[in-house]
Amino acid sequence: MPLSKVLSLPWPVLGLAYLAGYVLLDWISYLHPFAPFGITPWNPPTGLSFVLVLLYGQRTIPLLFVAPVLADLLVRHLPLPWMVELRTAAVIGGGYAVGLLLLLQPALRFNPTLGTMRDLVMLLAVAGASAATVSFGYVGFTVAGGLLPLAELPAAMVQYWVGDMIGIAIVAPFGLILLTRGRSVRVSVETAVQIAATLVALALVFVFAERHHSQLFYILFLPIIWMAVRGGLEAVTVGVLLTQLGLIAGVHLLPSEEIDVTGLQALMLVLTLTGLIAGALVTQNRRTAVQLRLHQDSLARLARLGSMGELATAIAHEINQPLTAAGTYTRLVAETLRADPSHLAVTETAEKAAAQVQRAADVVRRLRALIRLDQTGRAPVAVTRIVRETLDLVHPELDRHGIVASVELAEDLPPVMVDILQIEQVLLNLIRNAVEAIDATGAPHGRIAISATVADDAVEIAVADSGPGFPADFAGPESTTLGSAKAEGLGFGLSLCRSIVEAHGGRLAVERPAAGALVRFTVPIAKVSDA
C-alpha cells in the first residue's frame, strides 16, 4: 500500500487498528514470560509503535500510553496493581515517546523509508537506548512494588531489553519499508529457494536443540546473508521476520526445558542486526552505483551541450552577416517606399519583414545564451510575465490532455533578475513533466498548480501536480537523467533545470506531498540598482 493511501486513513480507524494490532501481537508473542507479567523474549508490539509514530507523527504519541494497559487487561488480566500498572505504562509510553520524538526532529533528517545506512543506524541506536530506559524503569517499578525480588532485576532487565529490541529491529524496518515503498520483496524463484533454505536451517536448529542447544544457530546466518547480498534491505526484513516466526513456532513445539529461549533470542538479535546492516550496505551501494551511472550520463549530455554551445557560436557568427544584410536591405526598401503614399501597404509589409529579421537574430543569440548559461541576457522581469508566457506556450498541450492549470501569485511580487528565456524553459520543463506524469496514470483529467511567493531575497516558484508523485527511490534532481523520452523533447531534465536555477543563484528542490509531486525553485529578486 503506498504511503499516500496509508496516511489518508481516518484518525479513528488508524487508532483502533493500532490498538487491535498491538493487543494481537502481544497475545501471539506472550510465551515464556519472566514472572506473571509482560517480560517476554520477543515484544513485536513495540515495533508496531515505532511504525505508527514515524509514519503518522507526534499526534499518535498518546496511543503509546494506552496500548500497554489495554494489552495487560486483555492478555494478562492485569497482573500488576493499578498504581504499578499506570506507572509502567507511563514508563513504556514516555520512554519510547522521547526516542521517537527525537527521530522526528527535522534537524536529524531521519527518513522513515530507511533509504540509507545512516537512517537504519539512527533507528537502531534510538531503539536500543529507549529499550534500555524502558526496561530499567519497568523492572524497577516491579521490584519497588515487591512483585519481583531484587536479585532477579538484572536477568529481568536483560530479557525485557532483548525482547523489546528484537521486536523493534524486526517489525519496525519491515513495516516502514512495506508502507513507504509499497512492497517489501519481489517474489521470484530465488525468493522461494531462500525461504526454503531458511525453513531447512530452522529445522536443523530445533532437531538438534536438545543435544546441541544453540550451537547450530549459525546455520541461520547463511540464508539471511544470501538475502542481504541478493535483495538488499527489503529482502532481509522479510528473512528475519520469517526466521523469528520460525523460532517462535519451534519454541512452542519443543518442551520449554530443552532450550534457552532468552539465549536463543539474543542470538536472533545478533542475526537480525547483522542482516539489516548487510542489507542496508548492499542497498546503499546499489543506489550509489545507479546514481554514478546517472551522473556519468548527465556529464556526457552536458559535454554535448558544451559542444552545442560552440556550434551555436559558430552558427551565430556565420549567419549574423546575412541576417544583418537582409535587415539593412529590407529597411532601405521600407524607407524608399515610405516616400510614395500609394505604396503604404507594401511599406508596412517591408517594415514587418525587417522586424522579423531582427527577431531572428535575437533568437539565435538567446539560444546560444541558453545553452551556455550566459549571464549577459539577465534583466529585471515580472514573475507574472514569466508564468503567463510559459502557460501560453504549453496551453495547447494542457487542453489536449484535459489538464487544468491554476495560478496563485502573491500580491506585490517584486521583479526578478533573470534571463527570461532560461527561466521560462525551466518552468516549461516542469509543467511538461507534470503533464507526462498525469497522462501516465491514465486519468482523464488532472490539475497543475503554479504558485509564487517571496522567500527572503528571492521569489520561490512552485509547480504541484495531481500525478503519481516521485518514486520512493528517487534521490533528487542531481540523480536524474537529462533528456526527454519524447522525440520532440529539447533534452532538458531536472539536472539541467537545477543547473540553470543555480546559475542564477537560486535552488531547486523536489518534495513528496501526500498526493502528487511538488517542485520548488527560487530566483533572485532584482535590486533597485539592477532595475
Side-chain angles (χ1 to χ4, degrees), residues 373-437:
L373 301 180
D374 194 1
Q375 300 185 19
T376 58
R378 297 181 186 179
V381 182
V383 177
T384 54
R385 177 187 171 189
I386 296 174
V387 175
R388 183 183 69 253
E389 292 184 358
T390 305
L391 285 178
D392 288 342
L393 290 172
V394 80
H395 183 72
E397 197 168 349
L398 295 175
D399 288 343
R400 185 167 64 254
H401 292 88
I403 297 174
V404 177
S406 61
V407 178
E408 184 177 353
L409 306 181
E411 296 183 359
D412 300 326
L413 280 176
V416 291
M417 191 68 179
V418 298
D419 185 310
I420 185 172
L421 185 60
Q422 294 180 10
I423 298 303
E424 283 183 356
Q425 184 61 57
V426 171
L427 184 58
L428 180 66
N429 184 68
L430 297 180
I431 295 175
R432 284 177 171 168
N433 285 348
V435 171
E436 293 173 2

Side-chain angles (χ1 to χ4, degrees), residues 458-484:
V459 172
E460 182 181 76
I461 301 175
V463 179
D465 64 68
S466 60
F470 295 102
D473 57 353
F474 178 67
E478 64 276 2
S479 65
T480 303
T481 305
L482 292 174
S484 172

Side-chain angles (χ1 to χ4, degrees), residues 167-440:
I168 298 170
I170 290 178
V171 175
F174 175 82
L176 291 173
I177 289 176
L178 179 64
L179 295 177
T180 58
R181 304 186 190 182
R183 68 181 189 280
S184 184
V185 67
R186 296 180 178 88
V187 179
S188 64
V189 175
E190 184 178 16
T191 303
V193 176
Q194 290 170 345
I195 294 175
T198 303
L199 297 177
V200 171
L202 286 167
L204 290 174
V205 169
F206 285 105
V207 165
F208 297 98
E210 182 177 2
R211 287 175 293 172
H212 300 284
H213 297 285
S214 301
Q215 293 180 13
L216 294 180
F217 190 88
Y218 67 87
I219 298 177
L220 291 172
F221 279 82
L222 298 178
I224 294 299
I225 297 301
W226 182 10
M227 293 179 185
V229 172
R230 296 291 296 168
L233 186 60
E234 293 181 352
V236 167
T237 57
V238 177
V240 294
L241 178 61
L242 177 63
T243 304
Q244 177 64 77
L245 293 176
L247 288 177
I248 297 300
V251 170
H252 275 296
L253 294 175
L254 284 177
S256 59
E257 64 273 7
E258 292 188 2
I259 190 166
D260 178 10
V261 179
T262 302
L264 191 65
Q265 287 296 80
L267 291 173
M268 182 64 203
L269 179 58
V270 174
L271 172 64
T272 300
L273 296 179
T274 302
L276 290 176
I277 292 174
L281 285 173
V282 170
T283 298
Q284 185 166 296
N285 287 340
R286 289 179 178 176
R287 182 175 289 111
T288 301
V290 171
Q291 291 179 353
L292 179 60
R293 288 196 298 270
L294 292 175
H295 284 156
Q296 289 173 341
D297 185 66
S298 297
L299 289 174
R301 289 177 178 269
L302 286 174
R304 289 196 291 271
L305 284 175
S307 300
M308 290 173 60
E310 299 300 326
L311 179 61
T313 302
I315 293 175
H317 176 74
E318 293 297 329
I319 68 174
N320 182 59
Q321 290 184 348
L323 283 176
T324 302
T328 301
Y329 293 146
T330 307
R331 284 191 295 272
L332 287 174
V333 172
E335 291 175 359
T336 302
L337 294 174
R338 193 177 294 116
D340 189 350
S342 62
H343 297 105
L344 182 59
V346 180
T347 302
E348 292 179 354
T349 302
E351 290 176 346
K352 291 179 180 180
Q356 291 303 315
V357 170
Q358 182 61 41
R359 179 179 176 82
D362 292 339
V363 167
V364 171
R365 286 193 297 270
R366 299 299 293 278
L367 284 176
R368 175 179 176 272
L370 171 63
I371 294 173
R372 302 192 61 169
L373 301 180
D374 194 1
Q375 300 185 19
T376 58
R378 297 181 186 179
V381 182
V383 177
T384 54
R385 177 187 171 189
I386 296 174
V387 175
R388 183 183 69 253
E389 292 184 358
T390 305
L391 285 178
D392 288 342
L393 290 172
V394 80
H395 183 72
E397 197 168 349
L398 295 175
D399 288 343
R400 185 167 64 254
H401 292 88
I403 297 174
V404 177
S406 61
V407 178
E408 184 177 353
L409 306 181
E411 296 183 359
D412 300 326
L413 280 176
V416 291
M417 191 68 179
V418 298
D419 185 310
I420 185 172
L421 185 60
Q422 294 180 10
I423 298 303
E424 283 183 356
Q425 184 61 57
V426 171
L427 184 58
L428 180 66
N429 184 68
L430 297 180
I431 295 175
R432 284 177 171 168
N433 285 348
V435 171
E436 293 173 2
I438 296 172
D439 185 59

Side-chain angles (χ1 to χ4, degrees), residues 459-523:
V459 172
E460 182 181 76
I461 301 175
V463 179
D465 64 68
S466 60
F470 295 102
D473 57 353
F474 178 67
E478 64 276 2
S479 65
T480 303
T481 305
L482 292 174
S484 172
K486 300 183 298 181
E488 67 274 14
L490 292 176
F492 285 90
L494 279 179
S495 291
L496 188 56
C497 288
R498 178 175 60 88
S499 298
I500 293 175
V501 171
E502 291 180 353
H504 281 76
R507 56 179 176 80
L508 185 145
V510 299
E511 298 181 14
R512 299 179 178 87
L518 176 62
V519 181
R520 304 176 185 271
F521 69 92
T522 58
V523 286

Side-chain angles (χ1 to χ4, degrees), residues 37 39 84 87-88 91 132-150 152-154 156-157 160:
F37 29 90
I39 303 179
V84 179
R87 290 172 183 172
T88 55
V91 167
T133 302
V134 171
S135 65
F136 178 79
Y138 186 98
V139 178
F141 277 126
T142 59
V143 171
L147 302 172
L148 193 68
L150 180 61
E152 295 184 358
L153 186 144
M157 282 185 57
Y160 196 106

